[in-house]
């Protein structure tokens, strides 16, 4: 607990509101591991909002190496820290009870400049990272989900 308190003070974490409501609202969220390896202010904070009556599903798309996996891990880590009673790397966070976190393991790939897809299945590297990639080719990308489960969402 002392380590969490120290990180919260040094890195500007905030106290999350953990609620029984099915909500996930993070403003100014930062990936705690990536941020620790960058100079102060280099990590661009972002937000996430999933709640009833609003968006309850997020489809995250983008080009290769755009930070999709980092973003998913960031949200998972913020939820995990909040559930453990720690302050979180965000400007504001309201998080419902999270009973499961499913995420793929890719080890040190975050810092090596590699791609999650390339790490998961090097055999499809030519098709996925080639100059021409059709919709048919992308069907071979591993379908390993990264998701949080918040009861009621």
């Amino acid at each position: 607990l002392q380590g969490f308190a120290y990180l919260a003070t040094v890195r500007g974490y905030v106290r999350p509101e953990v609620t029984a409501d099915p909500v996930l609202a993070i403003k100014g969220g930062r990936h705690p591991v990536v941020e620790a390896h960058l100079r102060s202010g280099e990590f661009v904070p972002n937000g996430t909002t999933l709640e009833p009556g609003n968006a309850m599903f997020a489809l995250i798309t983008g080009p290769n190496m755009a930070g999709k996996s980092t973003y998913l891990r960031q949200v998972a880590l913020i939820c995990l820290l909040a559930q453990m009673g720690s302050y979180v790397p965000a400007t504001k966070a309201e998080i419902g009870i999270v009973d499961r976190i499913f995420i793929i393991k890719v080890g040190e790939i975050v810092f090596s400049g590699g791609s999650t897809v390339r790490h998961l299945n090097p055999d499809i590297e030519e098709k996925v990272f080639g100059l021409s990639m059709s919709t048919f080719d992308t069907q071979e990308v591993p379908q390993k989900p990264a998701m949080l489960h918040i009861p009621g969402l």
Side-chain angles (χ1 to χ4, degrees):
L1 292 175
Q2 184 179 7
F4 288 142
Y6 175 77
L7 284 176
T9 303
V10 172
R11 297 193 183 156
Y13 290 10
V14 299
R15 181 179 179 192
E17 180 184 344
V18 179
T19 177
D21 297 331
V23 63
L24 176 61
I26 301 169
K27 292 184 181 177
R30 306 179 314 269
H31 190 297
V33 179
V34 174
E35 180 183 50
H37 287 82
L38 298 175
R39 283 176 276 183
S40 179
E42 281 190 348
F43 189 90
V44 177
N46 48 65
T48 303
T49 303
L50 299 173
E51 58 191 358
N54 196 0
M56 293 180 56
F57 174 81
L59 177 63
I60 302 171
T61 65
N64 297 336
M65 304 295 293
K68 298 176 296 293
S69 295
T70 300
Y71 174 77
L72 290 170
R73 287 183 188 85
Q74 168 190 309
V75 172
L77 284 169
I78 289 173
C79 287
L80 182 62
L81 287 169
Q83 302 297 310
M84 292 170 37
S86 173
Y87 280 41
V88 299
T91 55
K92 185 176 181 181
E94 182 182 0
I95 301 170
I97 304 298
V98 176
D99 65 354
R100 287 172 266 183
I101 297 176
F102 302 97
I103 196 151
I104 53 178
K105 180 182 177 189
V106 293
E108 296 296 318
I109 198 162
V110 171
F111 305 110
S112 68
S115 165
T116 304
V117 173
R118 183 179 297 163
H119 179 79
L120 292 172
N121 191 348
D123 297 334
I124 64 169
E125 181 176 340
E126 285 184 23
K127 284 187 180 181
V128 174
F129 297 97
L131 294 175
S132 64
M133 182 168 72
S134 70
T135 304
F136 178 77
D137 291 336
T138 61
Q139 291 174 358
E140 294 184 46
V141 174
Q143 300 299 313
K144 296 187 179 185
M147 64 181 201
L148 301 168
H149 180 263
I150 300 175
L153 269 184

